[in-house]
Amino acid sequence: MIITLDNITKRYGSFVANDSISLSVRSGEVHCLLGENGAGKTTLMNVIYGLSKADGGQISIDGKAVQFASPKDAIAAGIGMVHQHFMLIPAFSVTENVVLGLEPTLFGDRLDLDAARKRVRDISAQFGLEIDPDAPLEGMPVGIQQRVEIVKILYRAADIMIFDEPTAVLTPQEVIEFFKIIESLRAAGKAILFITHKLNEVMEIADRITVLRHGKVVGEADPATTSSGELANLMVGRPVSMLVSRTEAKAGDVVLALENVHVTDGTSKLALDGIDLVVKAGEIVGIAGVHGNGQTELIEVIAGLRPIVDGRICFAGGDIAGISPRERHRRGLAHVPEDRSIAGLAVTMSVAENMVLDSYYEPRFSRFGRIDWSSVRKAAAQLVSQFDVRTKSVDASAASLSGGNQQKVVIAREMSRPIKLMIAAQPTRGVDVGSIEYIHKRIVEARDEGVGVLLVSTELDEVLALSDRILVMFDGRILAEFDSRTADRSLIGLAMAGVVTQSQTHAPEIAP
Ligand SMILES: Nc1ncnc2c1ncn2[C@@H]1O[C@H](COP(=O)(O)OP(=O)(O)OP(=O)(O)O)[C@@H](O)[C@H]1O
Ligand SMILES: [Mg+2]
């Protein structure tokens, strides 16, 4: 079985998102699609999956031309897609989620849930997914939810499987498990299209590689004869350094101090169980840990988005209990949230509006008591060019931007004014290698200008590359501390799993 794309073209108005793209994927093959943010990868996948209609070109399966008016047609032709944002219902069980949309519509017909449950179990066993058909979705780790999405498309007998940045939301351990699943899908003869920004993953999993730039195919590569460096170069059209260059930190006064902070997870369960933490001006403190060990609550309580149950948080010299998020912001707190689509952007608003969401009320953007749109648009245009946000104009909606470019809008906004502390949570999620290089450089520059940075990332490489000190969170506590100059990857890994020695124990400094 083989799916072939011939000269696929897709336009949005006068903008050409896919420019005459040709490629093919055979059964038993993993074809990786690489390209800068906005290169047109997701657009192409949406065309294949019948979500959007090409303006030109032809898709064929086994030499026969096909046409999809909707995903329903694509599914019937054996195509399945795992989206980056899962489309699952938390209150339903695994099996209920899998059969969602397949309910018989004829009067008198009944959905045979027992048979469905059995098939889910069989599929799970066949591909090593380890999914319990009766488990509720609610509270499932992201990695397991992703497997439910995979079961869902296998249940519909997909032979061609599309994964759009599946690893962006996974922890390193989950990535290892996920790759085993990909191996078993490949062995079973599935044709797999795989999008990622992580070049080491491409080198590991790809049978073939196609690189897109500005909507066009700019190269094809064989993983056996290429290197990550070559791929990066091909993607962005220039050499990219994956090492962050930085000098030793010159830490100054304490900007943020948490003392014995307790926070619940919304029920009565403690999500933060006595956190002591200090961030000084001019240093980057990295938080490593497996997602779900309190990182989210830590970020939220500092940003003022979650109530503190016990303890004290001092920022820029004063206790900030009971101070609104906006006021924290005004005192110099920047916040790049973990999930840009929830707390980072208003996607229906324009790029310009999003760039000033936090500052539109400031004098520099007002004129005679109203928002001065010409200043707003000017400031936005400057940030768009500085951070290389690929957008048609500052008036385009944030929703029309590619994922990585949306992330760049959030970073640009948060770094666009004088700040004392930056909480950077997963700052480069979904961002291409060229832009990661730039964002990392800007974070180090901010540090050198005296900003304290609290970096939270599930990417251990990112934490190691940027941090001056590394703290490991485990089960709502800070379990260990490492000096990044001497930090050992495997010891940090062990601490992330809850194993530490005495010398690594985090000794809190007493805040002044
Ligand atoms: N509905 C839309 N309306 C207008 N422009 C769009 C729309 N959808 C996508 N685009 C534009 O098409 C281009 C390609 O976007 P696409 O999402 O395919 O990029 P991508 O390669 O997936 O990037 P990323 O790595 O950031 O996910 C972008 O410049 C984007 O702004
Ligand atoms: Mg995309």
Side-chain angles (χ1 to χ4, degrees):
M1 205 263 330
I2 181 165
I3 178 166
T4 314
L5 314 187
D6 278 310
N7 298 307
I8 295 293
T9 296
K10 172 74 194 172
R11 295 187 201 92
Y12 292 108
S14 61
F15 178 78
V16 189
N18 286 165
D19 191 353
S20 212
I21 296 180
S22 301
L23 56 85
S24 66
V25 198
R26 266 181 223 99
S27 112
E29 177 181 67
V30 177
H31 194 142
C32 280
L33 204 55
L34 273 178
E36 291 177 287
N37 297 131
K41 305 178 295 294
T42 298
T43 302
L44 187 66
M45 296 306 107
N46 287 343
V47 166
I48 301 177
Y49 192 54
L51 273 170
S52 61
K53 198 172 163 344
D55 297 299
Q58 181 64 56
I59 304 176
S60 7
I61 296 178
D62 288 334
K64 243 180 61 208
V66 289
Q67 225 134 46
F68 305 142
S70 74
K72 214 172 142 225
D73 296 345
I75 292 167
I79 299 175
M81 178 153 167
V82 174
H83 300 268
Q84 202 181 323
H85 291 278
F86 305 147
M87 306 187 171
L88 301 169
I89 314 266
F92 283 9
S93 74
V94 167
T95 304
E96 287 164 342
N97 267 288
V98 168
V99 298
L100 196 65
L102 296 177
E103 306 85 354
T105 45
L106 275 181
F107 181 74
D109 271 6
R110 288 187 60 237
L111 182 65
D112 188 347
L113 259 185
D114 281 334
R117 199 175 287 127
K118 183 173 175 307
R119 258 196 82 204
V120 168
R121 189 169 290 123
D122 291 347
I123 290 171
S124 166
Q126 188 188 347
F127 297 98
L129 295 166
E130 293 176 33
I131 287 288
D132 171 6
D134 297 311
L137 250 283
E138 189 101 64
M140 254 186 200
V142 173
I144 308 290
Q145 290 190 31
Q146 188 174 61
R147 293 186 203 176
V148 177
E149 288 280 9
I150 297 173
V151 172
K152 207 169 153 176
I153 65 179
L154 290 169
Y155 193 94
R156 287 157 180 75
D159 287 320
I160 299 158
M161 303 178 73
I162 302 172
F163 293 91
D164 193 354
E165 294 192 48
T167 57
V169 290
L170 300 183
T171 63
Q173 187 53 42
E174 286 173 332
V175 172
I176 295 172
E177 299 296 320
F178 175 71
F179 274 22
K180 286 188 199 148
I181 294 167
I182 293 288
E183 299 285 359
S184 73
L185 293 169
R186 169 161 58 193
K190 306 293 179 192
I192 297 166
L193 268 163
F194 187 110
I195 300 177
T196 178
H197 285 294
K198 296 172 192 167
L199 300 174
N200 57 336
E201 295 180 357
V202 176
M203 297 299 287
E204 185 179 336
I205 201 83
D207 296 302
R208 274 204 286 168
I209 303 165
T210 295
V211 182
L212 299 186
R213 198 184 325 146
H214 300 301
K216 290 195 181 72
V217 174
V218 291
E220 273 145 38
D222 174 354
T225 56
T226 189
S227 66
S228 307
E230 242 175 72
L231 289 175
N233 203 335
L234 198 53
M235 263 174 77
V236 298
R238 62 173 172 86
V240 178
S241 163
M242 300 196 226
L243 291 170
V244 183
S245 87
R246 61 192 174 92
T247 54
E248 205 145 301
K250 294 186 193 67
D253 296 340
V254 170
V255 278
L256 176 76
L258 275 70
E259 272 172 57
N260 197 26
V261 168
H262 288 74
V263 161
T264 62
D265 68 354
T267 65
S268 58
K269 198 176 157 281
L270 279 182
L272 295 182
D273 185 8
I275 297 278
D276 293 298
L277 168 79
V278 161
V279 180
K280 293 181 181 151
E283 72 167 348
I284 301 177
V285 176
I287 304 272
V290 174
H291 187 78
N293 276 281
Q295 296 96 321
T296 304
E297 291 81 3
L298 176 69
I299 297 160
E300 289 178 353
V301 75
I302 300 170
L305 302 174
R306 188 176 281 269
I308 183 167
V309 174
D310 195 13
R312 210 159 81 100
I313 304 180
C314 291
F315 170 56
D319 191 331
I320 52 171
I323 287 179
S324 70
R326 185 198 271 200
E327 179 58 20
R328 291 177 199 216
H329 212 266
R330 216 189 50 75
R331 293 184 187 182
L333 177 70
H335 174 210
V336 176
E338 277 181 306
D339 188 335
R340 59 181 166 260
S341 58
I342 296 174
L345 292 167
V347 287
T348 55
M349 293 170 89
S350 72
V351 170
E353 287 167 323
N354 273 284
M355 286 291 195
V356 299
L357 274 185
D358 58 342
S359 55
Y360 63 89
Y361 55 85
E362 288 176 7
R364 62 187 165 126
F365 294 130
S366 71
R367 221 173 120 82
F368 308 123
R370 288 165 178 264
I371 295 180
D372 176 8
W373 286 108
S374 96
S375 311
V376 167
R377 296 177 74 250
K378 218 167 109 200
Q382 207 175 356
L383 289 170
V384 159
S385 113
Q386 240 179 51
F387 283 81
D388 191 22
V389 177
R390 307 280 167 90
T391 176
K392 263 171 290 176
S393 90
V394 296
D395 300 318
S397 74
S400 75
L401 265 55
S402 77
N405 282 301
Q406 293 180 358
Q407 182 71 17
K408 289 193 257 174
V409 170
V410 178
I411 301 266
R413 178 186 65 223
E414 296 302 315
M415 297 194 83
S416 67
R417 60 198 172 91
I419 50 172
K420 293 197 176 77
L421 177 78
M422 175 169 173
I423 308 171
Q426 317 297 349
T428 56
R429 178 171 277 174
V431 172
D432 68 48
V433 284
S435 296
I436 289 177
E437 184 188 30
Y438 180 70
I439 290 170
H440 282 175
K441 197 168 131 240
R442 287 296 304 261
I443 291 177
V444 171
E445 277 169 16
R447 178 201 77 164
D448 292 342
E449 285 157 15
V451 173
V453 179
L454 184 66
L455 169 73
V456 182
S457 178
T458 49
E459 301 281 337
L460 191 48
D461 286 327
E462 180 162 60
V463 172
L464 282 165
L466 288 176
S467 312
D468 300 304
R469 287 192 292 133
I470 299 170
L471 306 177
V472 178
M473 276 189 88
F474 183 77
D475 205 12
R477 297 165 191 254
I478 291 172
L479 193 63
E481 167 158 3
F482 296 86
D483 181 330
S484 74
R485 288 167 301 187
T486 53
D488 176 299
R489 244 192 117 78
S490 55
L491 290 181
I492 297 179
L494 277 175
M496 284 165 64
V499 183
V500 286
T501 64
Q502 190 59 38
S503 66
Q504 295 159 354
T505 322
H506 171 61
E509 294 180 51
I510 303 305

